[in-house]
Amino acid sequence: MRRGNSLVYLTLLVSLVLSVFPLYWLFVVATRSNDVIGQMPPPLVPGGNLAENVRRLFGAEQANFALGLINSMIASIAVTVSVVFFSSLAGFAFAKLRFRGRNALLLTVLATMMVPVQMGIVPLYMVMVKLGWQNQLQAVIVPFLVSAFGVFLMRQYAERAVPDELIEAARLDGCSTFGLFVRVVSPALRPGAAVLGLFTFMSTWNEFLWPLAILEADNPTVQFSLSQLATQYYTDYTLMFSGTLIATVPLLVVFILFGRQIVSGIMDGAVRS
Amino acid sequence: MHGSPYLFIAPFFVLFALFGFFPLLYTAWVSLRSWDLTGDAGFVGLANYSRLLSDPDFWNAMLNTVGLFVLSTVPQLFFALVIAGLLNRPIRALMLFRLGVLAPIVTSVAAVAIVFGQLYSRDAGLVNGVLGLFDVGPIDWQASKGSSWIAVASMVNWRWTGYNALIYLAAIQAIPKDLYEAAQLDGAGAIKQFRAITVPLIRPALIFTVVMSTIGGMQLFTEPLLFGQGDISGGSLRQFQTVAMYMFEQSFQNFDYGYGSAIAWMIFLLTVVAGIANALIARRLRGGTQ
Amino acid sequence: MRLGKALAVTVATALLAVGCGGNATDDAAGGTVTLTVKTFGQFGYDDLVTQYEASHPGIKVKQENIAKLADYTPKLQQWLTAGSGAGDVVALEEGILVKLMGKPDQFVNLLDQGAGDLKGNFLEWKWNQALTPDGKKLVGLGTDIGAQGMCYRTDLFAKAGLPTDRAKVGELWPTWDGYLATGKRFAAAGAGVSFFDTAGPVYQNILMQQGDQTYFDRENKLIVDTNPGVRTAWDQTIKMIDAGLSGKIQMWSPAWNAGFKQGSFATIPCPAWMLGVIKDQAGPENAGKWDVARVPGEGAVRGGSFLAVPAQSKHPKEAAELAKFLTNPAGQTAAFKAKNNFPSSPQAIDDPAVSSAVNTYFNNAPVGKIFGQSAKSLQPVYLGPDNQVVGDGIGDALTAVEQGKLKPDEAWTKAISDAKRAVEK
């Protein structure tokens, strides 16, 4: 196989730079003092203020940043594990099992994704009031334990990645459907599950509107916490960006962890006929 | 012995019934009432909907949403496909590139807002600076539909291209390698292999991303809001106000909850129609199977 | 087995989260009443709250604050709609209060709680804003007001051959015509920067001086097109835009923030709270270059807030007492000292702590006197529930003129028809 030629590298390099630049700039601002925000051209070299900014960040009472990080960790992990598990189950069922009403139910799943998110806030808030879950962490976890997007993604992946012959063979061996799922399907679904896990973690971590609605500043998630760093009129950008930078680190960690899974998934089992 | 398939899908529907269905029904119920900040004034039937149909601001928001959708989906999915293809090759520093193009998803909205705000700033922005080199006058990006659409679409494309590339990549990796080997032996070059093998065989992923992009496009909210520095009316003449922004403005700024709920249901219907239409289109493109 | 572990983790985590539950109720055992105060921005109540708890042993006060008004408003809407969550004392920004006056029974009538005696503690126009037209219900007690001055750059004025002493600058513009004329002089001197940042606030200031009503009359009938005051404010603003005085910079944008340091505009109508913004944005190197003069015309105030007691509160009596305490003259003076929120109480305005306040960054400008003067000379103006919607429409129309998208007459026609459509529904 030929190695990539220079055009390929160039294109990828340009894409990389464009993709990464704002993140890098985030890092630069977090290490500087506040006068650099309006500057044109923007500063490209990191400064030495990071420790100072981080100190101010964790000292900012109104933001409760440390608690925000912890709450978001708990919520994101719980939701990710649950979504990946239940979406794999349902995705596999929709892709490979035959049952009555399958297509209709699948369309229903799809339809649920088409509901605009912002509208659900007031009625969902009412549900939370009934449950007594205002300002409780479970309010940002339980409604999201399953995801229509996840079901759809895993179904699409399962359709391609799990060959019918393998299922037939396992059934002939006397496997129950669940056993089939555990032993045959799950390994094949791993790359798709890695993608879903990545995105679910990220979207839960980045969620802002709903946590703002249901939580208060003394029990925030991380994005809510960051928004509290602003004052009504003046935004201390270095403070905010330091917080954002730290809030991004767990995402980068998950990134790298799951990224490996995708690669190892290829090594494990490119589908063979 | 054979687990019922219904058990596999039950958890999703149970939780959805509790936390998804109720808000949906409630919103529909509210949309049939006259409900603003002075409270619930009672059932008014389809009055909110007929008001909506003759509301020029709503149709303007629709136009913006569709225009933004086209500008932010077509180039995005095309580039995502190209990048996925490139990333599938045995190149050095593979992991770095693969993770790198996903960086936009991880970047916080606050940073994105500032970077793109400065790029498209009327007086001191980079884009106007570059255009100035070609004697193209400074553009007030927020002032016109065309320019604001391009700017917002670029934000959306920047954010989501890597995401879609990853989905295509996962699908490409499920294609049996021997198909490519056979084509290689037949003398097909890289691009021909891409068009004849890769694209048709990832059709489910293509349909998937088209439908997802459509749903996201119809509900576009964050990027245009950031572009306008938090102005929910999307420009002085609503140049880039999407239907989702219009719904938010009516519900949470003007406190006209009944009207906002009607808009939400219109967005829902719009998304369903557009989703189906685009899925059908994607299905017909590259219609070949093996 | 990997799956089993995953399942266990999910369940355990969910249980952990649920286990930390328990509803946050107001009453602990033993008769302590906990009052929840909901605020946005910075009201400066921390010390006051401690003081109140010390003098009221059975009462605990919990503050719940949201930094930005734009994030607070949707929460307020959902608390009122859902009938739960608004706490015991809730902060209402003027624009929202005006809307909520359309349904005053969402709030406890403070007149029933003995607030009628406190009328003299507030500027008349501020008191009237929270009073229903029939005078029978008082929805809120005033906290701060956005009393205005006109901030200007002394160095840019000097370059343009204009006086720099704030008394003399004040004499340049006793009226808005004077402001326009000064602006033209400034532009003619060729300094290369704009006279003011954007037209919206200028228009708003002129409008509030045009009599006792703006877009609505006291029967809440839309009079935006027939009220000559509105047209006057509009025409004057257009004259300024036509003279090229506007920098056309969107407020709060990064370019606007940078403008204070770079000197992109020479003047800006500045409420009391903006002084802090200017100081932070312009930086220490520009200390003394910004100063504050009086605002043109008589009396200028933009915005302000109130405290109200939601009807859903379980302790209306105690909540009303707390609200009264926080908004009494001593409370307002303390809030001014803490966070520079300009009081709406004449006694507080005259309190030496306020009236002799000077701002060192602004050349030791006697801000207490400047803002106090402008607050006191404002005549009461009736706003009407849909004031915000109409005002936003006119603001957008002005921006469209600045951007060159609409001619002034087209913009006026559009603003009027938008207003009519918004109100007629």
Side-chain angles (χ1 to χ4, degrees):
Chain A
M1 288 261 217
R2 286 173 40 202
R3 290 221 158 245
N5 58 26
S6 40
L7 185 60
V8 172
Y9 274 110
L10 187 64
T11 316
L12 286 179
L13 200 61
V14 169
S15 308
L16 183 69
V17 168
L18 287 178
S19 301
V20 171
F21 176 70
L23 199 57
Y24 173 71
W25 191 77
L26 179 73
F27 169 67
V28 168
V29 173
T31 61
R32 302 272 240 158
S33 51
N34 263 311
D35 44 338
V36 304
I37 292 295
Q39 263 181 24
M40 248 308 140
L44 291 178
V45 181
N49 290 28
L50 186 60
E52 159 77 20
N53 291 336
V54 169
R55 199 182 48 81
R56 284 191 303 144
L57 171 71
F58 281 97
E61 273 177 22
Q62 76 275 22
N64 234 333
F65 190 67
L67 182 60
L69 282 175
I70 294 174
N71 279 343
S72 279
M73 264 310 186
I74 298 177
S76 301
I77 292 178
V79 170
T80 301
V81 168
S82 168
V83 163
V84 170
F85 178 66
F86 287 118
S87 301
S88 303
L89 276 181
F92 161 66
F94 276 117
K96 293 293 171 182
L97 301 180
R98 241 154 265 106
F99 53 94
R100 242 209 312 240
R102 182 176 78 166
N103 283 335
L105 286 171
L106 183 63
L107 283 175
T108 315
V109 171
L110 192 58
T112 71
M113 274 192 285
M114 301 188 174
V115 179
V117 182
Q118 297 89 347
M119 230 28 223
I121 290 185
V122 175
L124 201 55
Y125 181 80
M126 292 175 166
V127 172
M128 293 301 157
V129 169
K130 277 271 150 40
L131 291 170
W133 283 0
Q134 292 143 292
N135 204 19
Q136 309 288 319
L137 191 59
Q138 60 264 33
V140 298
I141 296 179
V142 177
F144 307 103
L145 289 176
V146 295
S147 147
F149 168 73
V151 171
F152 209 56
L153 178 74
M154 293 313 288
R155 176 205 171 261
Q156 171 256 312
Y157 196 74
E159 214 169 61
R160 268 291 152 196
V162 182
D164 293 323
E165 306 85 34
L166 229 61
I167 299 182
E168 288 309 313
R171 279 211 196 276
L172 286 176
D173 281 349
C175 235
S176 75
T177 316
F178 194 73
L180 175 71
F181 177 77
V182 168
R183 253 175 265 130
V184 175
V185 175
S186 300
L189 289 181
R190 216 167 337 140
V195 172
L196 179 60
L198 187 70
F199 292 145
T200 307
F201 188 90
M202 228 153 5
S203 68
T204 313
W205 188 264
N206 285 335
E207 186 61 43
F208 176 65
L209 273 185
W210 173 243
L212 174 71
I214 194 61
L215 299 174
E216 295 298 335
D218 62 346
N219 191 25
T221 53
V222 72
Q223 303 299 332
F224 185 177
S225 179
L226 285 176
S227 74
Q228 289 289 96
L229 286 176
T231 61
Q232 171 61 12
Y233 304 113
Y234 172 65
T235 307
D236 184 339
Y237 286 111
T238 56
L239 194 64
M240 260 208 100
F241 279 23
S242 309
T244 311
L245 188 68
I246 302 218
T248 308
V249 167
L251 286 185
L252 289 174
V253 168
V254 171
F255 221 52
I256 292 169
L257 282 179
F258 279 86
R260 288 242 175 83
Q261 279 278 39
I262 295 174
V263 176
S264 72
I266 311 160
M267 310 295 198
D268 268 3
V271 174
R272 296 178 205 293
S273 323
Chain B
M1 171 113 110
H2 289 278
S4 160
Y6 294 105
L7 275 180
F8 280 67
I9 63 175
F12 171 79
F13 284 104
V14 165
L15 270 164
F16 176 71
L18 272 173
F19 295 108
F21 209 47
F22 169 66
L24 203 60
L25 288 179
Y26 187 81
T27 307
W29 178 73
V30 172
S31 74
L32 299 174
R33 307 179 79 77
S34 163
W35 189 328
D36 57 19
L37 202 60
T38 58
D40 182 2
F43 183 77
V44 290
L46 294 174
N48 283 325
Y49 290 94
S50 59
R51 176 181 159 204
L52 199 53
L53 289 177
S54 55
D55 182 349
D57 290 337
F58 173 71
W59 290 109
N60 172 68
M62 281 285 240
L63 178 68
N64 292 339
T65 307
V66 172
L68 278 169
F69 167 68
V70 171
L71 280 181
S72 62
T73 305
V74 174
Q76 186 193 134
L77 294 186
F78 175 73
F79 280 117
L81 205 51
V82 168
I83 291 178
L86 293 178
L87 288 176
N88 195 34
R89 297 162 72 102
I91 54 179
R92 279 193 277 229
L94 193 62
M95 190 52 90
L96 176 71
F97 284 118
R98 285 179 175 178
L99 293 184
V101 293
L102 269 191
I105 310 271
V106 181
T107 311
S108 89
V109 288
V112 175
I114 300 195
V115 171
F116 277 88
Q118 290 198 316
L119 275 178
Y120 287 108
S121 167
R122 182 194 62 211
D123 300 325
L126 246 175
V127 180
N128 276 350
V130 168
L131 287 177
L133 297 175
F134 299 97
D135 262 340
V136 176
I139 304 180
D140 192 347
W141 291 89
Q142 289 188 13
S144 315
K145 270 204 200 301
S147 58
S148 61
W149 288 7
I150 291 177
V152 175
S154 70
M155 289 174 76
V156 177
N157 291 339
W158 175 83
R159 196 170 189 80
W160 298 105
T161 299
Y163 166 108
N164 286 312
L166 199 70
I167 294 182
Y168 292 150
L169 185 62
I172 289 176
Q173 285 164 356
I175 298 177
K177 297 276 186 279
D178 32 347
L179 284 178
Y180 290 107
E181 282 161 14
Q184 184 100 24
L185 288 173
D186 279 348
I191 297 189
K192 181 117 205 297
Q193 289 179 34
F194 193 74
R195 274 184 28 211
I197 303 176
T198 313
V199 173
L201 284 185
I202 62 169
R203 205 176 61 173
L206 281 173
I207 298 178
F208 175 79
T209 53
V210 165
V211 173
M212 289 296 118
S213 293
T214 305
I215 295 176
M218 295 301 113
Q219 299 183 2
L220 195 62
F221 181 77
T222 314
E223 277 83 1
L225 189 64
L226 291 179
F227 177 66
Q229 304 293 332
D231 174 19
I232 196 73
S233 56
S236 62
L237 298 170
R238 301 177 186 267
Q239 291 91 328
F240 49 93
Q241 185 185 50
T242 60
V243 283
M245 291 165 79
Y246 189 55
M247 175 192 73
F248 200 86
E249 179 190 8
Q250 291 302 317
S251 297
F252 294 111
Q253 188 175 280
N254 297 352
F255 292 179
D256 194 340
Y257 195 40
Y259 195 50
S261 303
I263 302 174
W265 267 86
M266 286 299 271
I267 299 179
F268 174 65
L269 291 174
L270 168 73
T271 311
V272 169
V273 167
I276 293 177
N278 286 337
L280 290 175
I281 294 176
R283 204 175 267 258
R284 298 245 246 102
L285 281 173
R286 324 257 178 220
T289 49
Q290 280 123 317
Chain C
M1 200 171 61
R2 191 175 155 268
L3 274 170
K5 259 205 220 131
L7 201 50
V9 169
T10 316
V11 172
T13 327
L15 280 179
L16 192 74
V18 171
C20 306
N23 207 352
T25 56
D26 338 66
D27 290 320
T32 324
V33 170
T34 306
L35 298 176
T36 309
V37 178
K38 302 269 195 182
T39 57
F40 56 89
Q42 297 182 307
F43 275 71
Y45 287 155
D46 291 346
D47 288 336
L48 286 174
V49 158
T50 318
Q51 211 183 314
Y52 193 80
E53 285 180 332
S55 57
H56 292 75
I59 309 248
K60 277 208 67 51
V61 178
K62 186 168 186 289
Q63 290 195 72
E64 287 179 353
N65 174 275
I66 299 289
K68 288 179 119 72
L69 179 62
D71 293 335
Y72 177 85
T73 307
K75 285 179 75 102
L76 178 69
Q77 206 263 33
Q78 98 200 6
W79 296 329
L80 293 176
T81 311
S84 164
D88 301 292
V89 176
V90 72
L92 299 175
E93 195 261 342
E94 176 192 79
I96 298 170
L97 171 94
V98 160
K99 273 201 256 264
L100 292 172
M101 294 296 289
K103 188 169 190 250
D105 53 1
Q106 294 179 97
F107 298 98
V108 167
N109 182 356
L110 293 170
L111 292 177
D112 292 339
Q113 299 291 336
D117 304 332
L118 302 175
K119 181 167 174 183
N121 283 351
F122 297 92
L123 292 167
E124 191 195 344
W125 57 264
K126 185 78 175 175
W127 176 267
N128 286 348
Q129 274 187 315
L131 197 61
T132 54
D134 62 7
K136 295 219 172 80
K137 277 198 88 137
L138 184 69
V139 167
L141 291 168
T143 58
D144 61 317
I145 52 178
Q148 303 256 33
M150 183 66 79
C151 290
Y152 65 98
R153 282 279 292 241
T154 53
D155 56 334
L156 294 175
F157 267 37
K159 261 200 239 157
L162 293 168
T164 58
D165 168 75
R166 69 182 76 88
K168 295 221 170 57
V169 169
E171 279 161 29
L172 285 177
W173 51 58
T175 62
W176 290 98
D177 287 327
Y179 185 72
L180 173 64
T182 312
K184 286 186 179 161
R185 259 176 79 186
F186 180 82
V193 302
S194 330
F195 192 54
F196 56 80
D197 56 333
T198 181
V202 172
Y203 162 80
Q204 194 59 28
N205 276 315
I206 305 178
L207 179 69
M208 291 298 277
Q209 294 171 349
Q210 299 303 316
D212 65 345
Q213 46 196 27
T214 58
Y215 306 128
F216 294 90
D217 65 13
R218 277 162 213 277
E219 271 97 52
N220 290 335
K221 186 160 134 324
L222 183 69
I223 52 170
V224 62
D225 45 346
T226 52
N227 183 352
V230 179
R231 189 76 216 214
T232 307
W234 172 270
D235 287 334
Q236 281 226 291
T237 314
I238 295 292
K239 270 195 239 164
M240 297 189 203
I241 298 177
D242 283 342
L245 302 185
S246 169
K248 308 173 190 179
I249 305 178
Q250 186 183 6
M251 268 184 89
W252 311 114
S253 68
W256 187 82
N257 283 333
F260 292 104
K261 186 184 293 207
Q262 290 164 5
S264 313
F265 38 85
T267 67
I268 178 169
C270 51
W273 45 261
M274 198 181 276
L275 297 186
V277 175
I278 298 180
K279 173 173 169 202
D280 285 326
Q281 296 292 6
E285 66 267 29
N286 286 319
K289 291 212 187 120
W290 280 96
D291 206 326
V292 190
R294 54 158 287 178
V295 80
E298 288 307 318
V301 172
R302 256 161 60 214
S305 303
F306 297 79
L307 290 182
V309 177
Q312 28 172 282
S313 162
K314 304 223 170 22
H315 308 281
K317 212 157 117 1
E318 292 85 348
E321 290 307 308
L322 178 60
K324 287 196 248 172
F325 173 77
L326 292 171
T327 56
N328 67 23
Q332 293 201 20
T333 310
F336 175 76
K337 286 201 276 208
K339 293 291 176 192
N340 272 315
N341 293 328
F342 201 79
S344 58
S345 161
Q347 293 86 345
I349 295 176
D350 291 334
D351 183 308
V354 177
S355 62
S356 59
V358 296
N359 193 309
T360 42
Y361 188 84
F362 289 80
N363 279 327
N364 288 320
V367 289
K369 286 216 176 57
I370 300 176
F371 293 133
Q373 166 71 14
S374 108
K376 284 187 183 166
S377 4
L378 187 73
Q379 297 306 308
V381 178
Y382 179 74
L383 290 180
D386 287 322
N387 178 70
Q388 185 104 17
V389 176
V390 176
D392 285 346
I394 297 197
D396 281 340
L398 281 173
T399 309
V401 172
E402 281 183 329
Q403 289 171 331
K405 301 296 290 181
L406 287 179
K407 296 214 186 31
D409 286 329
E410 293 170 336
W412 173 257
T413 315
K414 178 175 201 303
I416 301 297
S417 76
D418 282 349
K420 289 201 170 125
R421 200 154 33 86
V423 169
E424 258 134 51
K425 298 209 217 209

